[in-house]
Amino acid sequence: MDEELRSLTERLRREAGGGPEFERLVTTEDPDDLAAVLTAPGRPLWARELAAFRLGLAGDRRAFESLVLLLNHRDPPRCASAAHALARLDDPRTARAAAALATNELRVAYALYPVRLLTELRAPEAVPALITTLRRRLRPHDPYRRVALACVEGLGTLGDPRAVPVLREALAHPALAEAAVRALGRIPGAR
């Protein structure tokens, strides 16, 4: 069993209180049964999350909208699970959605997982979105240092020269300086 699926299953079993409905969603091999959970009215969040996650891992694009909503959830474990499934879904809309979430200033508190997903996807949208998000985080007294750090690390991983100016700006921020040095070291010609 996929480690992320095992972790999600344990978390949702506690949330759901176990029971036959939970076990059915964990064990069913019928993708239509899982997809029906995503559109049925009145289904609990744990059921929708479990169904979307399993469909995402299976590459079933019917999970896309639900996973994107979960990627922008206030609960970090839900975001992490959604990012994991979206990375495996192989839907061409994923990078665009993650970029939109990462750069949405009204939801910046929830941008950490979209930023990490963009880095993992290595899509064309990743570098511009991470640069935009990081530049906004370099304002004085910005409270979203974890998002900024994820951007710095992601830009280093992606190794794109377009990131050099914003990474040099990040050097002036003590919480980001060490990571920015490492990121710049990974970009050819940045030193």
Side-chain angles (χ1 to χ4, degrees):
M1 177 184 276
D2 176 271
E3 178 60 28
E4 192 68 27
L5 176 58
R6 186 191 62 70
S7 175
L8 174 120
T9 303
E10 289 175 10
R11 176 174 55 81
L12 295 182
R13 180 176 278 115
R14 287 189 300 273
E15 187 176 323
E21 175 65 8
F22 177 81
E23 294 305 325
R24 184 183 67 77
L25 291 176
V26 168
T27 59
T28 186
E29 296 299 324
D30 182 1
D32 292 334
D33 190 22
L34 292 170
V37 172
L38 301 180
T39 58
R43 297 309 303 260
L45 183 56
W46 66 261
R48 293 180 191 281
E49 181 180 2
L50 181 55
F53 185 86
R54 291 200 56 219
L55 287 169
L57 290 186
D60 190 319
R61 293 184 179 171
R62 292 178 287 182
F64 176 77
E65 287 85 4
S66 295
L67 289 171
V68 169
L69 288 172
L70 290 165
L71 181 63
N72 197 32
H73 198 273
R74 68 181 177 274
D75 184 17
R78 291 195 201 285
C79 300
S81 295
H84 181 81
L86 281 164
R88 281 135 195 88
L89 182 59
D90 195 30
D91 189 304
R93 301 171 290 175
T94 300
R96 199 168 41 253
L101 293 174
T103 58
N104 182 344
E105 268 308 282
L106 298 176
R107 301 288 293 173
V108 69
Y110 309 109
L112 180 63
Y113 290 95
V115 164
R116 289 178 178 167
L117 177 59
L118 282 167
T119 302
E120 185 175 352
L121 294 174
R122 295 181 167 268
E125 296 88 345
V127 171
L130 295 182
I131 288 171
T132 297
T133 303
L134 177 57
R135 186 160 282 124
R136 292 173 180 165
R137 305 287 59 86
L138 296 178
R139 296 180 190 136
H141 311 294
D142 185 85
Y144 304 108
R145 284 291 170 228
R146 290 185 66 209
V147 173
L149 184 58
C151 289
V152 168
E153 292 168 346
L155 290 167
T157 298
L158 296 170
D160 190 301
R162 294 176 291 173
V164 170
V166 74
L167 288 172
R168 286 192 175 140
E169 288 178 48
L171 291 171
H173 297 264
L176 304 174
E178 187 177 321
V181 167
R182 283 193 307 273
L184 287 164
R186 296 179 78 180
I187 299 173
R191 290 198 168 215

